[in-house]
Amino acid sequence: MDIQEQIETLRNELRQHNYNYYVLDQPAISDYQFDLLLKQLVDLETQYPEFYDANSPSQRVGGQVTKNFETVRHEHRMYSLDNSYSKEDLFDWETRIKKMVDGNVDYVCELKYDGASISLTYVNGNLTKAVTRGDGIQGDDVTTNVKTIRSVPLQLQGDFPPKFDIRGEIVLPFEGFIKMNEDRIEIGEEPYRNPRNTASGSLKLQDSSEVAKRPLECFLYNLTGNNLPVSTHFEGLEKARKWGFKVPAAAKLLNSIDDVLLFIDYWNVHRHDLPYETDGVVIKVNDLNQQEELGYTAKSPRWAMAYKFKAEQVSTRLNEITYQVGRTGAITPVANLEPVELAGTTVKRASLHNADQIEKLDIREGDEVFVEKGGEIIPKIIAVDLSKRPADSKPTQYITQCPECHTKLVRREGEAQHYCPNYNGCQPQIIGRIQHFISRKAMDIEGLGGETVALLVKAGLITNYSDLYELTKEQIIPLERMAEKSAENLISGIEASKQISFERVLFALGIRYVGETVAKKLAKHYKSIENLAKATVIDLVTVDEIGIRIAESVVEFFATEENQKIIQRLKLFGVQLEISADILATQTNKLKGEVYVVSGVFESLSRDELKKLIEDNGGKVSSSISSKTNYVIAGSNMGPSKKNKAEQLGIPIISEFDFKDILG
Ligand code: AMP
Ligand code: ZN
């Protein structure tokens, strides 16, 4: 077999396995075997870049970065759907239809998936474009990101027409959503509100390898195009399934509105067993000729109707409003409810968000309230049953003092949340900050978990993260669930964290608005905590991508005496507070003023390593080619459009090895 055949065989095998796994849910090989095949393919493609294919299964891992998503006009408009809420609405719809078309009308019922709509274009069986709905007339080209979604076929099988569009919904199943939020909470970020917004936000991420990490799925529900090889909608769904698309099995062909109502009743209950969010049923006239006769209103097809599930709602008593203090001091009011069954779970608490929300709904302790479970995981209170309000009820007075440390709360202009400003004396803030310090992406201290941190603080053994470095085994052993061995592990975990690099230490300090990326930027620019602590707001904003809000927060942090003491102590204990000498030694100014664009897959180092090498030597990395670009470093699989652009502008295209020569 020659190389090209080998590559094609691997691609076909991988496509089939991908289809078995993501569309049919019936994997035929283990994940490990799959990864091995994929690696073989990537290796071959790297070695023989002449066989590059934009729709190879190797493209699933992403890596391309999009700065601006191009606006694209939909060839066929993407309409909204009319909504209905009752049997009567549906019977009315049927009456309108019967006036306009002759003969029997069959209906297809599908679930209404709650995510982000997408239009996919296939030419000769290859995915060529993925565009968001936008305003229905034009949307954003998000092809690179959509290619990373495993259930979107990059190449079709069977008797597909030469060119067509297919519409569907990109959703984020609950499991993946919850997991993503756990990761965010761990690093002290606000959790995402609901799967739908997270799904649509994912499509607009600049780095497609980030999208590849998110467990998104794509469900297809409509073929669109001229001269489609089908005469009914249902046939279209069945064909789409054969070509390789994921069309959920719930879709049913029914021949009366009465059957449609049974379908709705069934899913109104069973939707709670689905692993993803749905908010209704979509009913479509099956016959495409009838669809054409019915046509469209200004906004939606007359041949389709959405039936919205009533969000599950119950009423229960609000026993008490309590207040939680987060790591940053943000106060969150929580409704403690008389436990009640809602959508299959017992609900005891609901989020109240902030003071404005309480005031807007005039929510009071002792009220009977309506609780709803929508797209959010945490249920929310949507209204008060005023008819049941006790006569002696008084409006809620939002707290003015921190529930933990009794400090007077502040609310900055333009912010919805109240804050406890007692940075160094408020226990939940102290605990939260130390938990952030030890977390995986920060100091990654093995053998120490969030609960132990709380125990250590409550036992008075530590009051800030620098105290960790003075803990002794003898102090720890008496704590709950601690033994000789676990105490030793904890101490050695803390000791090992002294090797963690400066940029991560800087992130670990928990300076407001200084996340991982900002910490890297600052570490690289200032090289030591001493330099950073001396920087003024004006200095700071000259650093690439550092804005005024971050700058002020950094200055405020270092201006606080308590923080200065803590940093002195960290230094004393040997925590890395400057860029290590090895790293400094690898940094030069050789490439100062030069702008590089990096494209493709490299042999001797990863793309990130290459970028770092450029930046460490004073060069700049840009994501798109322009007249300001000095060199394009090309690996295998370089995008053809980049190649053309570089050639047009006469910008030298060099290999990774040429680049290393330049560096010497
Ligand atoms: P709306 O946004 O309320 O006008 O509802 C229209 C949207 O419902 C469409 O843009 C689709 O994104 C979405 N939708 C979800 N599931 C389906 C389905 N099975 N058929 C058609 N549209 C659907
Ligand atoms: Zn407090």
Side-chain angles (χ1 to χ4, degrees):
M1 207 165 18
D2 70 10
I3 298 295
Q4 188 170 11
E5 269 176 276
Q6 259 185 46
I7 290 183
E8 274 313 319
T9 313
L10 273 171
R11 284 177 182 161
N12 286 334
E13 262 181 75
L14 282 161
R15 276 182 197 119
Q16 186 59 42
H17 288 308
N18 201 68
Y19 177 71
N20 293 344
Y21 189 101
Y22 290 101
V23 180
L24 301 182
D25 261 341
Q26 288 165 348
I29 58 170
S30 71
D31 292 358
Y32 176 69
Q33 286 168 311
F34 185 91
D35 289 344
L36 280 186
L37 288 176
L38 185 62
K39 184 164 184 313
Q40 271 182 41
L41 175 63
V42 172
D43 286 351
L44 281 177
E45 287 182 349
T46 314
Q47 223 179 326
Y48 301 94
E50 60 271 36
F51 302 124
Y52 169 82
D53 175 355
N55 282 336
S56 165
S58 60
Q59 300 292 308
R60 297 283 194 197
V61 290
Q64 244 167 293
V65 173
T66 317
K67 270 270 145 67
N68 293 305
F69 294 94
E70 201 187 324
T71 308
V72 182
R73 214 182 152 80
H74 294 294
E75 197 176 322
H76 305 274
R77 180 167 162 190
M78 288 180 89
Y79 284 89
S80 294
L81 290 171
D82 261 349
N83 287 326
S84 61
Y85 302 91
S86 66
K87 287 182 189 184
E88 289 68 41
D89 288 351
L90 289 177
F91 284 125
D92 287 351
W93 180 52
E94 186 188 31
T95 312
R96 293 199 299 275
I97 290 175
K98 295 259 157 110
K99 275 191 201 146
M100 293 182 69
V101 302
D102 297 326
N104 276 342
V105 180
D106 291 335
Y107 300 96
V108 176
C109 280
E110 293 159 43
L111 290 169
K112 190 166 188 290
Y113 324 109
D114 203 9
S117 33
I118 193 82
S119 179
L120 308 175
T121 303
Y122 285 82
V123 178
N124 298 325
N126 287 304
L127 174 66
T128 57
K129 241 182 191 38
V131 183
T132 62
R133 181 166 115 169
D135 62 2
I137 295 170
Q138 50 183 30
D140 293 321
D141 183 339
V142 290
T143 316
T144 344
N145 286 344
V146 168
K147 276 189 181 174
T148 68
I149 301 173
R150 304 296 207 267
S151 49
V152 172
L154 301 180
Q155 197 173 71
L156 306 179
Q157 47 196 11
D159 58 344
F160 48 81
K163 180 170 189 293
F164 67 96
D165 287 356
I166 187 165
R167 267 82 195 261
E169 197 82 357
I170 290 174
V171 302
L172 180 60
F174 291 126
E175 194 190 329
F177 174 73
I178 292 167
K179 172 83 188 36
M180 278 173 66
N181 268 350
E182 283 168 359
D183 289 351
R184 280 182 76 82
I185 289 165
E186 189 186 316
I187 58 167
E189 302 268 355
E190 276 279 303
Y192 296 114
R193 275 282 166 87
N194 61 49
R196 185 203 328 120
N197 294 351
T198 316
S200 55
S202 303
L203 296 182
K204 301 295 281 291
L205 291 175
Q206 296 193 338
D207 182 352
S208 60
S209 59
E210 282 303 310
V211 188
K213 287 184 205 146
R214 300 191 173 183
L216 299 162
E217 291 228 39
C218 183
F219 301 143
L220 285 308
Y221 53 68
N222 235 71
L223 284 182
T224 312
N226 306 321
N227 305 320
L228 293 173
V230 292
S231 58
T232 68
H233 174 63
F234 201 66
E235 260 181 81
L237 294 183
E238 285 179 322
K239 284 271 185 199
R241 220 177 252 141
K242 292 215 177 89
W243 300 335
F245 294 102
K246 185 157 193 161
V247 178
K252 284 268 168 331
L253 176 59
L254 303 168
N255 46 34
S256 71
I257 289 289
D258 287 323
D259 284 351
V260 168
L261 292 173
L262 290 177
F263 182 96
I264 291 175
D265 285 344
Y266 178 86
W267 282 109
N268 197 15
V269 177
H270 288 89
R271 68 189 176 113
H272 299 301
D273 307 332
L274 293 170
Y276 47 84
E277 184 76 20
T278 54
D279 63 345
V281 167
V282 183
I283 309 126
K284 299 171 187 168
V285 169
N286 189 37
D287 187 303
L288 297 188
N289 284 328
Q290 289 181 337
Q291 283 194 4
E292 207 166 294
E293 275 172 66
L294 288 163
Y296 297 82
T297 68
K299 271 182 37 212
S300 45
R302 290 199 190 84
W303 47 264
M305 182 60 85
Y307 176 93
K308 290 275 192 150
F309 292 132
K310 284 181 201 64
E312 296 247 347
Q313 226 186 60
V314 285
S315 86
T316 188
R317 210 179 95 100
L318 167 58
N319 289 328
E320 194 190 3
I321 298 175
T322 53
Y323 299 85
Q324 281 176 350
V325 188
R327 142 169 102 83
T328 57
I331 307 289
T332 315
V334 179
N336 295 269
L337 306 165
E338 193 58 34
V340 63
E341 284 289 309
L342 175 62
T345 53
T346 306
V347 174
K348 298 191 196 98
R349 289 147 68 85
S351 158
L352 290 169
H353 300 305
N354 53 46
D356 291 345
Q357 182 73 3
I358 294 177
E359 200 181 306
K360 200 171 99 200
L361 298 176
D362 187 19
I363 297 173
R364 308 176 182 186
E365 287 180 351
D367 272 344
E368 190 74 15
V369 292
F370 295 107
V371 183
E372 185 176 296
K373 208 160 180 176
E376 288 85 17
I377 300 286
I378 304 163
K380 61 176 181 219
I381 293 182
I382 48 159
V384 174
D385 186 349
L386 291 174
S387 70
K388 298 211 175 119
R389 174 168 282 172
D392 59 351
S393 150
K394 295 209 173 56
T396 299
Q397 294 289 327
Y398 203 80
I399 49 168
T400 52
Q401 292 184 351
C402 175
E404 301 280 341
C405 72
H406 311 293
T407 305
K408 192 165 179 298
L409 298 181
V410 295
R411 186 179 185 178
R412 280 187 222 173
E413 216 174 278
E415 285 190 1
Q417 233 68 20
H418 285 71
Y419 281 87
C420 166
N422 186 8
Y423 184 86
N424 286 307
C426 183
Q427 203 172 71
Q429 294 189 55
I430 294 171
I431 293 175
R433 210 154 41 233
I434 302 175
Q435 286 172 338
H436 170 74
F437 184 82
I438 67 161
S439 65
R440 203 161 33 90
K441 292 191 175 162
M443 303 301 276
D444 192 19
I445 298 188
E446 240 176 89
L448 179 56
E451 279 171 40
T452 310
V453 168
L455 285 178
L456 289 168
V457 173
K458 286 182 179 152
L461 291 172
I462 55 176
T463 56
N464 63 62
Y465 35 67
S466 71
D467 295 342
L468 288 171
Y469 295 91
E470 268 185 338
L471 283 173
T472 62
K473 203 168 82 181
E474 291 66 33
Q475 285 176 309
I476 306 170
I477 292 176
L479 290 179
E480 224 176 287
R481 276 184 279 135
M482 272 293 165
E484 174 100 17
K485 184 79 194 134
S486 43
E488 270 168 21
N489 285 344
L490 200 161
I491 300 285
S492 65
I494 292 173
E495 187 59 30
S497 76
K498 293 179 186 171
Q499 304 310 319
I500 294 288
S501 66
F502 173 49
E503 55 185 42
R504 278 174 62 184
V505 176
L506 198 50
F507 169 60
L509 296 181
I511 306 171
R512 211 169 165 202
Y513 307 127
V514 178
E516 264 182 296
T517 328
V518 172
K520 269 188 205 155
K521 290 247 148 70
L522 292 174
K524 199 168 163 272
H525 187 91
Y526 289 99
K527 308 216 163 37
S528 74
I529 203 137
E530 249 168 22
N531 292 338
L532 179 62
K534 278 189 286 201
T536 62
V537 170
I538 309 217
D539 280 341
L540 281 156
V541 292
T542 60
V543 181
D544 212 19
E545 282 172 55
I546 304 297
I548 186 88
R549 197 178 60 151
I550 302 172
E552 283 176 353
S553 167
V554 170
V555 169
E556 191 184 318
F557 181 88
F558 289 107
T560 315
E561 204 177 315
E562 184 71 24
N563 289 335
Q564 290 167 3
K565 277 193 210 142
I566 293 174
I567 286 166
Q568 278 315 313
R569 276 165 60 81
L570 289 177
K571 189 178 274 173
L572 201 74
F573 296 129
V575 172
Q576 304 292 315
L577 294 175
E578 52 190 58
I579 289 197
S580 78
D582 323 353
I583 296 182
L584 268 184
T586 63
Q587 297 192 344
T588 72
N589 262 333
K590 274 191 190 152
L591 309 179
K592 196 173 161 81
E594 287 183 3
V595 180
Y596 285 78
V597 170
V598 171
S599 176
V601 181
F602 299 94
E603 244 171 82
S604 63
L605 73 188
S606 75
R607 192 202 302 252
D608 283 341
E609 283 164 351
L610 181 55
K611 286 183 180 167
K612 192 164 176 303
L613 206 53
I614 297 169
E615 285 171 351
D616 284 349
N617 288 288
K620 247 187 118 150
V621 181
S622 163
S623 61
S624 58
I625 299 176
S626 71
S627 56
K628 297 203 186 82
T629 312
N630 296 85
Y631 291 98
V632 176
I633 309 181
S636 59
N637 280 5
M638 174 184 184
S641 64
K642 277 204 175 130
K643 188 155 190 241
N644 285 340
K645 185 124 191 220
E647 278 165 0
Q648 264 172 27
L649 295 171
I651 293 160
I653 303 180
I654 60 173
S655 73
E656 64 204 274
F657 304 104
D658 298 336
F659 172 69
K660 285 182 176 167
D661 283 345
I662 294 180
L663 268 185

